[in-house]
Amino acid sequence: MFPADAIARAKHYLAMAPGGLGAYSDSRGIPGIRKEVADFIHKRDGYPSDPELIYLTDGASKGVMQILNTIIRNEMDGILVPVPQYPLYSATISLYGGSLVPYYLEEEANWSLDFVNIRQTVAEARSKGISVRAMVMINPGNPTGQCLSEANIKELLQFCYHENLVLLADEVYQQNIYQDERPFISARKVMFDMGPPISSELQVVSFHTVSKGYWGECGQRGGYFEMTNLPPKTVDEIYKVASIALSPNVPGQIFMGVMVNPPKPGDISYLKFAAESKSIHESLRRRARMMTDGFNSCRNVVCNFTEGAMYSFPQIRLPPRAIEAARRAGKSADVFYCLKLLEATGISTVPGSGFGQKEGVFHLRTTILPAEEDFPAIMSSFKKFNDSFMEQYEGYSRL
Amino acid sequence: MFPADAIARAKHYLAMAPGGLGAYSDSRGIPGIRKEVADFIHKRDGYPSDPELIYLTDGASKGVMQILNTIIRNEMDGILVPVPQYPLYSATISLYGGSLVPYYLEEEANWSLDFVNIRQTVAEARSKGISVRAMVMINPGNPTGQCLSEANIKELLQFCYHENLVLLADEVYQQNIYQDERPFISARKVMFDMGPPISSELQVVSFHTVSKGYWGECGQRGGYFEMTNLPPKTVDEIYKVASIALSPNVPGQIFMGVMVNPPKPGDISYLKFAAESKSIHESLRRRARMMTDGFNSCRNVVCNFTEGAMYSFPQIRLPPRAIEAARRAGKSADVFYCLKLLEATGISTVPGSGFGQKEGVFHLRTTILPAEEDFPAIMSSFKKFNDSFMEQYEGYSRL
């Protein structure tokens, strides 16, 4: 029923969990799997990683929540968070009573980070008495789909170092890359490439998950965070907090092991694994292209290419009459547009206001995950709706 | 390989999770499983339960943490917590910055609740400006192993009602009952039996898990909480917070379904299931008896019978010279005793100070989970160590 290497792999993980899947593990996760994650990081970055500084979690979100809970003491503690941003960070900062300090991604510069603006943002927050303690980087971006350049990540690390910020590196989409100019490069690798004092002093926590990648096993809730340069006392406190809920779920931990340690050349399952992964990846790559090209062919729609992650985040330039119609309907303009789109076509998208956007600028987020063969019909249906919507509200329509 | 009813059951749950085990579910858990939990509660208590007020969680601990996070606004918000208590509540209250208001269980009255004392505890806390908002009940008790009587639960409910406290009913050991005088009765059932206004107004959140019972599938991290009489706006906020981490793990949810909906008479697997459950339960019952009888046969050791849960929590009456020896060794007296026990016998226990105990009174906690056939040797080894320890420190020994 299963190939011999899959059976051997199952035995390998069962041997690591002597109580079986039904017993609590170490609160930080099964040691053997943390070792496999460390090997994966070492191989990815070229710098060794310490399994004692890797904690497995019930999905990356739970890890992010735990680290934010560690950082936030009260409402005067600020966390720099990109805008647009998927709502994990804003919601968690609000839940734990900290201050969100938003920094805007530069849409015109492919959603990159502009440190002249960010420096000003931090200075303003500090002038209000906020103690800015950490900065969140999401790379590849959600909902924005960009891959940050190495040069931009270097600036980011220098900035965090000089401003004494812990960097939270949300790198859950590291496997989802759809172009060759900017392959994924981890903040940790760039940091070690830069050498001391940044590599030896900057505190970084990076997050990964089994929910994304090519497989998307999100129902299993597997994730990890890796801590670099955190003081041992802080690591001990984080261990203590992780112990409150006893252990992450064990099957999710094993999914993490399988993800970081996939079949290798020579294994019975390797060819099948490689072919399936390649096929999923290439299809996602084509879908990213079809999605952004499709949006860019529409009237008043501009969309940065989806370089990574799973989302397109086109800007919808709404005519003043559409904004006015939305106001009369008691809705924000992007919500109004997305609801009309849903009603007319059945296409469900998330209005940009759910992620934050600059005043008077409107977006929507959609995934690139529909079946590839459905793309032509979806994009044509979208275009038909959009162009007629624009015609109507630009005033050329007889309606 | 599997009987037909097991295969049918697997298909039943897969049909409830159309994206498979690898897709996020509703943030509150799969609706069909929440319905099965509601049916289980209805059948258990004789009062219907609403699936919309049942949220599945990654183990009961995560549910408790979420509800405490909802209740605690700042360090002036107090939570009544039993002492002795397993450390989930004290650690979480500390993590979320609330105030723990300890109430002592009455060891001489079988670890029951004395509301004369508890009323005084609340009055004292309030006189210090603490807003006491909730009360934790752990029944069956951990680490104390008692089952509360219906009369004691009634007093508890009246008390919570009159003091305007939310009741957190930690009932995760409801299946682990080892005597017939006090079967498990849920706080919710007692409340509905009492009728209005308590049944219609008292806010109760009760917790359950797949980690305990006869199976103890704790590595799967499955749990639920059920909310009774919570204002709809509060329920909505709790839903919003549950959504931050997207969904509980799906396999753990299915374990919950299987647990609340076991094989029924007439099912192919029923006889085997019933025989295995009965055998585990009867063995645990014999072990509870052997453990407490064993402790009570030892010099200076008194132990309430383990009526439920999985623990014995004997009091160890340490002679003054043992307390003095511990002091000289820089250890608290119960830690000193437990370490000596470990060194002499290999028996690993948890000192009572890990759970809280009255000043100058000492305990240890042990589970009743060793294999039944090992019990005579374990208890005899314990007795030999204890009696010689007591002899040494009572001064009759030549050592």
Side-chain angles (χ1 to χ4, degrees), chain A residues 288-305 312 314-317 337 375-388 390:
Chain A
R289 176 51 67 197
M290 285 190 282
M291 186 69 90
T292 39
D293 284 355
F295 283 132
N296 283 316
S297 79
C298 294
R299 190 159 157 179
N300 295 349
V301 178
V302 279
C303 188
N304 283 325
F305 176 58
S312 290
Q315 186 183 138
I316 315 289
R317 297 186 168 156
Y337 177 92
F375 262 70
I378 291 169
M379 295 318 294
S380 128
S381 168
F382 177 85
K383 185 176 170 58
K384 199 175 142 211
F385 160 78
N386 175 79
D387 292 3
S388 116
M390 293 302 172

Side-chain angles (χ1 to χ4, degrees), chain A residues 281-357:
Chain A
H281 183 234
E282 287 179 351
S283 171
L284 285 170
R285 194 169 169 132
R286 287 190 298 271
R287 285 182 263 179
R289 176 51 67 197
M290 285 190 282
M291 186 69 90
T292 39
D293 284 355
F295 283 132
N296 283 316
S297 79
C298 294
R299 190 159 157 179
N300 295 349
V301 178
V302 279
C303 188
N304 283 325
F305 176 58
T306 296
E307 300 176 330
M310 291 176 174
Y311 311 99
S312 290
F313 196 67
Q315 186 183 138
I316 315 289
R317 297 186 168 156
L318 294 171
R321 284 182 50 200
I323 296 172
E324 175 55 25
R327 201 192 53 75
R328 281 198 307 271
K331 295 188 166 44
S332 58
D334 56 351
V335 173
F336 179 79
Y337 177 92
C338 290
L339 283 173
K340 293 274 180 202
L341 171 66
L342 179 65
E343 285 160 14
T345 66
I347 298 172
S348 166
T349 58
V350 187
S353 48
F355 306 93
Q357 51 198 356

Side-chain angles (χ1 to χ4, degrees), chain A residues 41-47 150 153-154 157 171 184-195 199 204 206 226 228:
Chain A
I41 293 173
H42 184 175
K43 199 172 148 196
R44 183 194 68 190
D45 293 345
Y47 297 99
E150 187 172 344
I153 296 173
K154 258 187 197 162
L157 294 165
E171 300 176 326
F184 170 74
I185 179 164
S186 76
R188 182 183 177 277
K189 173 174 168 46
V190 177
M191 182 176 84
F192 284 124
D193 286 348
M194 290 167 86
S199 64
V204 176
S206 58
E226 186 206 18
T228 308

Side-chain angles (χ1 to χ4, degrees), chain B residues 309-374:
Chain B
M310 291 177 175
Y311 312 101
S312 289
F313 196 67
Q315 186 183 140
I316 315 290
R317 298 185 168 156
L318 294 171
R321 283 182 52 200
I323 297 171
E324 174 57 22
R327 202 193 54 75
R328 282 198 308 271
K331 295 186 168 42
S332 60
D334 56 350
V335 173
F336 180 79
Y337 177 91
C338 290
L339 283 173
K340 293 275 181 203
L341 171 66
L342 179 65
E343 285 160 15
T345 65
I347 298 173
S348 167
T349 58
V350 187
S353 47
F355 306 93
Q357 51 198 355
K358 287 184 180 162
E359 183 67 27
V361 181
F362 303 103
H363 297 85
L364 61 80
R365 187 189 81 168
T366 179
T367 73
I368 59 164
L369 298 177
E372 190 174 347
E373 61 270 28
D374 295 338

